[in-house]
Amino acid sequence: MKRHYTALWLLFLSAFALFAVASAFDMPEIGGHKLKSSEIVPSLTAVEAAADSDMAYCDDTTSSEVHERPAFPVPCDSASKTILFIGDSMLEGLGPRLAAYAEKNGHTLYNVIWYSSTSEVWGRSDKLRHYIDTLHPDYVFVCLGANELFVSDIINKRRGYVQKILSDIDTIPYVWIGPPNWKPDTGINQLVASETTEGGFFLSDGMHFERSRDGAHPTRTSAAAWMDSVARWMPAHSFHPIRMEVPDNASGRAKRIFVHQPSEK
């Protein structure tokens, strides 16, 4: 009896194996009929391919996210630039030193000093957009924040104005030079760092400065050293470094300096 059942099982397994092979592939005609594939193997293959595709997509996504960040250091742009430098009274010390860099490296510099200005003052105004449309700069330096070190809830109050400034700059490469803190701030550095492109913000807080009598502004010598620090930082950390060889002269002259008073809008 057991042999009889064993024979039946072997017959059943043989028939199933034949069916599986026939259903997996297109077979030649047998008795006038052509056996067609049941698409089992292609379906299984498609599932495996889809799984591989999903895995590749995840890998590509991760890869693309990584490549969106600049690969530092970024190659230096050696072309001559038209530079627009805007900001508050800190430009009195920084401007002449940047002008010396411009003269040494073949750049053209325009300085715009708006006394007592803040991110709010510039953000409410169309002056930056006006200067960009008029002077067509290839590069922008910004120095703002010294007059808003102690504004309460500054991140919520000033975020929109910082975003407006960056929106006006648009796709032009830039460096925003943070304020030379003489006391801990309430968040202006954190705000600007969070809104600027990686490699677009130079943190000045923590540096040592020799101060003028007001206790806030660096002396001219210290401001020149400050600008030197920015220039040394740029090759390895800026998202768009430009030629900034150390000048022979301590200071230079911008092609033009525009001055605005606190009462202006």
Side-chain angles (χ1 to χ4, degrees):
M1 182 67 69
K2 288 183 179 180
R3 291 180 179 178
H4 178 71
Y5 283 124
T6 300
L8 288 176
W9 276 110
L10 289 174
L11 181 62
F12 174 78
L13 290 173
S14 299
F16 179 81
L18 177 62
F19 172 78
V21 172
S23 63
F25 304 98
D26 286 343
M27 300 292 288
E29 292 186 3
I30 299 176
H33 299 281
K34 186 176 182 180
L35 299 177
K36 298 293 290 182
S37 169
S38 65
E39 304 301 323
I40 292 176
V41 171
S43 297
L44 292 174
T45 305
V47 170
E48 291 176 357
D52 291 340
S53 176
D54 288 343
M55 185 176 296
Y57 176 80
C58 291
D59 290 342
D60 289 343
T61 301
T62 303
S63 176
S64 66
E65 289 175 353
V66 170
H67 286 100
E68 284 178 1
R69 302 177 61 187
F72 294 101
V74 177
C76 177
D77 183 348
S78 60
S80 298
K81 301 296 180 184
T82 296
I83 299 173
L84 175 63
F85 191 10
I86 69 142
D88 52 33
S89 57
M90 294 297 168
L91 268 67
E92 286 187 341
L94 292 171
R97 186 58 174 166
L98 183 56
Y101 276 95
E103 291 174 357
K104 172 70 175 181
N105 294 278
H107 306 311
T108 302
L109 175 66
Y110 294 94
N111 290 343
V112 182
I113 306 173
W114 196 343
Y115 287 102
S116 300
S117 64
T118 63
S119 61
E120 180 179 10
V121 169
W122 281 92
R124 287 182 178 274
S125 169
D126 290 326
K127 280 186 170 59
L128 175 53
R129 191 69 253 171
H130 164 75
Y131 283 114
I132 289 175
D133 292 340
T134 302
L135 302 174
H136 308 291
D138 305 302
Y139 212 93
V140 176
F141 282 87
V142 178
C143 187
L144 285 171
N147 295 311
E148 46 198 330
L149 290 178
F150 314 118
V151 176
S152 62
D153 194 25
I154 189 169
I155 293 179
N156 290 323
K157 289 179 179 178
R158 301 293 166 87
R159 186 186 299 278
Y161 300 119
V162 171
Q163 291 174 342
K164 170 63 162 54
I165 292 169
L166 296 174
S167 176
D168 286 343
I169 294 173
D170 197 20
T171 59
I172 304 172
Y174 66 88
V175 171
W176 187 311
I177 303 172
N181 289 49
W182 53 95
K183 290 182 179 180
D185 62 80
T186 56
I188 182 62
N189 282 298
Q190 178 186 347
L191 169 59
V192 177
S194 68
E195 294 296 331
T196 50
T197 298
E198 183 178 359
F201 177 61
F202 178 84
L203 179 65
S204 306
D205 185 21
M207 297 178 62
H208 172 73
F209 296 98
E210 297 294 334
R211 308 279 180 173
S212 59
R213 290 183 178 180
D214 65 6
H217 291 80
T219 63
R220 287 298 179 93
T221 301
S222 191
W226 183 14
M227 191 68 238
D228 288 342
S229 296
V230 176
R232 287 194 301 270
W233 169 88
M234 289 181 68
H237 303 287
S238 171
F239 76 93
H240 193 124
I242 58 175
R243 192 169 66 243
M244 292 285 279
E245 294 181 13
V246 179
D248 303 316
N249 299 323
S251 62
R253 294 176 61 87
K255 183 171 183 178
R256 188 171 177 183
I257 300 174
F258 301 89
V259 177
H260 298 279
Q261 300 301 324
S263 59
E264 294 184 49
K265 295 182 180 180

